[in-house]
Amino acid sequence: MIDPFLDATAQADLVRRGDLTPLELVESAIERIERLDPTLNAVVHTTFDRAREVAAGTGADPALSLALGDGPFRGVPFLLKNAVCHSAGDPFTCGMRFLKDRNWIEPTDTWLAARFRAAGFVFVGKSNAPELATSATTEPLAYGATRNPWDIRRSPGGSSGGAAAAVAAGLVPVAHGNDMGGSIRIPAAACGLVGLKPTRARSTLGPAFGEYWGNLTHEHVITRSVRDTAAVLDVIAGRAPGDPYSAPPPIRPFASEVGADPGRLRIGVLPGVPTTDHEVVATVDAVGRLLEGLGHHVEASYPEAFFDGDHLAGMACVGPAVARDLDRWSRRVGAPIGPDDVEPANWWMAEAGRARTLVEQMEAEEIANAWCRRMAAWWASGFDVLVMATMPAPAIELGTGSPDLPLETLLPVIARVASLTSPWNVTGQPAVSLPLGWSAATATVGALPIGVQLVADDGREDVLIRLASQLEVAAPWAHRRPPVNAGDPSPTE
């Protein structure tokens, strides 16, 4: 039996040494998905037959370029999120009933999907995501809620919630995610995983997009280990032809930073905000003390502009972006999308976006750019990393963020969950969530993961990877297993 909690690097090593074949890895993942996903609802589209063909090297359609890549992750099973990044010949519905009912299939790979394939990953399915990826919980009306393997009454976060639940439970070792306001980091925190939002434009959104949701969208993966996070970043990083801009190139491969001495860093700590749970505050404080014990200079300091609210101007593109998404899909499908075709919050955002003038949007961008400069001044003053919570509290209960709630109930819940992550989508800085804390278990709730977020200056994923790998050794998490996991032969609800 293949250990379901081997990370992607270890699984690829088994293939490289000849101990396992790609097909054996893929068959093992398929068995785990079939066994556990009825409990989790993390995978909304399966591509098992095609995955078997690709892994075995038989029947792959050369017109779709579906041959197994020979990169560093050859044969490793992988899930694509059901949003933004799509794969040739597979369903792609963005969590929308409108597209699900029409069984929408994408004819081509995005350039990011092609990079994942070239790295050797084998796509076994699509992970659940909220409709149009607009929520911080994964409870789309089209597919139903994904359950957190640490407590199936709770959300795995969003919008990459299906990806995180699948990785945490051991269905696959790594899964694609994207982050427009915290959608990699929030699920990583809720599910006890590593979630890095890279620097803006570290990878490509082509060929269809140069930007998506303005400049808020960042693509990467959710993993169990820092080394996987770094190694996958190496295979997807880099500007593609026609991209409007790109992140500063790294000095050396990101994988080389794993285990490298970070030196003595100057670290600021922001323990919490007025809405932060006391266990989260205590976790951030403990991580600050741990970092001090590791030899870093640690002080209570943070960019004062964080609290002035101007980053919300940078999020103002979301409404117009949702409106544009609906218009684009109406045109592609050849049928108009109306209020009954999408969830109420998304229709509300689209209508607000349509009412927004270009002049108002340009003003918001100016405000956001000025705010980003005030934020950057803190790093320019000599700080290397900011340490803070990823979420104000552990994973929320399912239903508290349900898309069929009244907007006046729903929107504040989602805003609170994303309040500590969305500012870094506006600045574009790299930020990573690490599972460095755990809530106290009670008679009714077991210990839940608490994510701690590290934020570095623009382009400095190298600093984050060095520090994250140091913390991974000092406060390891790989041994922890959620109650619902692929090592249990008969998980039950």
Side-chain angles (χ1 to χ4, degrees), residues 58 85 89 107 162 179-180 187 193 224 245 271 284 347 351 387 435 477:
T58 61
C85 178
D179 193 313
M180 295 87 143
L193 301 167
R224 298 188 196 123
Y245 49 82
V284 175
W347 187 257
E351 290 294 278
V387 175
W477 55 78

Side-chain angles (χ1 to χ4, degrees), residues 399-402 404-415:
T400 57
S402 174
D404 55 8
L405 288 172
L407 295 184
E408 62 270 21
T409 302
L410 171 63
L411 296 179
V413 171
I414 302 307

Side-chain angles (χ1 to χ4, degrees), residues 94-98 129-135 140 341-344 346-347:
C94 305
M96 297 175 66
R97 291 165 293 173
F98 180 82
E131 185 181 81
L132 295 173
T134 55
S135 182
D341 296 313
V342 294
E343 295 169 358
N346 282 327
W347 187 257

